[in-house]
Amino acid sequence: MSQFESVEEVVEALAEQGYIADTRLATTVFLVTRLDKPLLIEGPAGVGKTELAKALAGITGRRLLRLQCYEGQDETKALYEWDYGKQLLYTQILREKIGQVVADAPDLNEAVERIGAQESVFFSERFLAAHRLQQRPGGEEPSVLLIDEVDRADEALEAVLLETLAEYQVSVPEVGTFTTKTPPYVILTSNNTRDLSAALKRRCLHLFLDYPSAERELAIVRSKDTGLPDALATQLVDIVRGLRELELRKAPSISETIDWARTLAVLGVEELTATVLSDTASVVVKYDKDVRKAVSALPRLVDPNAVVPEHGHGHGHGHGHGHSHDEDTDAVDGRAVRAAKDTPGRFGHTYGSNPLGNGEPVTSPKVPAERGSRSFGAGLGRKRAL
């Protein structure tokens, strides 16, 4: 399918790929295929940004090219890379031929000039790593170019990408410019770990993809054939949405909701209780503090009329830390604790502390000179009489 005739057609086509889209999202995809402009999708992790690019490749029959961004990445790692091993191998094989080229050179300068005239042989497309060139919008095969988590890359890479996004081309200084006759559909994703440059945003259509509504998330869970009964799936979606309202370090994603539904189906759960949800909470919350907060809130989310104990876990997940996990623990100021450890005399009546216990440091007594002469170091130079 090269182009869509309507937004409704986009919704239906994405649904065939297992991607449940609302009208706003489908409208943006429709514009991408008509305007040939890149699409920048921002939003929390796990809301379907990457999956949208995969679904778009599936419904259009285009090849998916994925560039995964990371810190410290530059253009030589993102768009192209020289195969130095191959260059070295060819140099070794052609050593004799290179010797013939410079054999009759009258001086060193002339030899360098002759070798320099041939350097384009070793900096050609033959020595460009193919797996990197596959990431550029080159060639005649239609493609969907996914630039994933662009916010993780350095700002320098953004400047390099501007040419690719505006002109659909890549410049390699030693070779030239690679262009394509069939512009790719370009999708950039960002988890909002940092602000992207205005120049990058200006070149793209923009879509903020947030967590879906309860109805749409339930439709997504149903479309994945998790095996969980419909009534329990409806209740589970409401519980996950309740967990997202907590102040968690990482809120549960849609994919984690699906994983939780599959987990409960595998366990043969027939009723969602606080106990069974607490035992499987690690499927959707990944940090210890988040687990504690989630487990404390689950009884209320399962039954709003439930009475939740003030202290203690009450769920038996067996942390085994040997300390209390009440909410006051999370409020402790770590800097104050560390500062207290540096307080003189904090250990009571010990060496260097005040035996009165008032926290005042004790000044060490001065050692008389006559005692110093009998010190350990003073006798090192004397020989022991036999």
Side-chain angles (χ1 to χ4, degrees), residues 8 21 33 41 64 67 87 128 138 154 197 236 256 320 364:
E8 291 73 19
T33 62
I41 309 177
L64 178 65
L67 173 61
Q87 289 173 324
L128 280 174
D154 298 334
S197 66
L236 182 65
E256 287 165 339
S364 301

Side-chain angles (χ1 to χ4, degrees), residues 67-325:
L67 173 61
Q68 182 65 49
C69 298
Y70 55 88
E71 186 177 355
Q73 191 177 30
D74 57 20
E75 70 274 14
T76 62
K77 297 176 182 177
L79 302 177
Y80 62 89
E81 185 176 19
W82 291 109
D83 192 340
Y84 294 112
K86 191 174 182 181
Q87 289 173 324
L88 181 60
L89 176 62
Y90 273 58
T91 302
Q92 295 296 327
I93 295 175
L94 299 176
R95 177 182 297 178
E96 182 178 346
K97 187 64 178 178
I98 295 174
Q100 294 176 3
V101 171
V102 299
D104 58 343
D107 52 35
L108 184 60
N109 289 333
E110 178 62 23
V112 172
E113 288 294 331
R114 293 185 183 184
I115 294 176
Q118 305 296 326
E119 66 182 9
S120 60
V121 174
F122 292 95
F123 287 95
S124 61
E125 292 188 54
R126 182 190 303 274
F127 298 102
L128 280 174
H131 70 284
R132 291 300 180 189
L133 280 177
Q134 289 171 359
Q135 307 295 343
R136 67 175 174 83
E140 303 304 322
E141 184 181 0
S143 62
V144 174
L145 177 60
L146 169 62
I147 304 176
D148 210 9
E149 297 183 334
V150 67
D151 54 320
R152 293 186 178 276
D154 298 334
E155 294 182 3
L157 181 61
E158 285 188 42
V160 174
L161 290 175
L162 296 181
E163 178 188 14
T164 303
L165 300 178
E167 308 295 336
Y168 295 112
Q169 66 182 29
V170 173
S171 296
V172 181
E174 298 86 351
V175 178
T177 301
F178 294 91
T179 59
T180 178
K181 294 181 180 179
T182 307
Y185 296 151
V186 182
I187 294 182
L188 302 91
T189 71
S190 169
N191 293 336
N192 285 334
T193 58
R194 68 173 178 85
D195 291 333
L196 302 177
S197 66
L200 181 67
K201 290 190 173 184
R202 188 172 61 249
R203 286 164 171 77
C204 303
L205 298 173
H206 185 268
L207 175 67
F208 184 85
L209 198 58
D210 205 347
Y211 294 109
S213 63
E215 294 77 12
R216 182 168 159 237
E217 187 164 9
L218 179 58
I220 294 172
V221 173
R222 287 171 176 168
S223 68
K224 299 303 179 181
D225 297 325
T226 61
L228 193 67
D230 192 67
L232 297 185
T234 303
Q235 185 182 4
L236 182 65
V237 167
D238 290 337
I239 291 173
V240 171
R241 293 175 64 81
L243 291 177
R244 290 184 186 135
E245 294 177 359
L246 303 176
E247 295 183 1
L248 301 179
R249 179 175 176 182
K250 179 190 176 301
S253 66
I254 301 175
S255 60
E256 287 165 339
T257 304
I258 297 171
D259 290 341
W260 208 4
R262 287 175 175 159
T263 299
L264 297 173
V266 169
L267 294 175
V269 173
E270 298 180 354
E271 179 184 2
L272 297 188
T273 64
T275 300
V276 71
L277 294 177
S278 297
D279 291 340
T280 57
S282 58
V283 175
V284 292
V285 284
K286 309 299 183 181
Y287 297 95
D288 184 58
K289 286 185 179 181
D290 287 356
V291 171
R292 299 201 301 270
K293 290 180 180 179
V295 167
S296 298
L298 280 173
R300 173 178 52 82
L301 296 175
V302 173
D303 181 6
N305 298 320
V307 178
V308 182
E310 243 178 77
H311 299 286
H313 284 302
H315 57 83
H317 66 176
H319 276 306
H321 294 312
H323 56 79
S324 173
H325 284 319

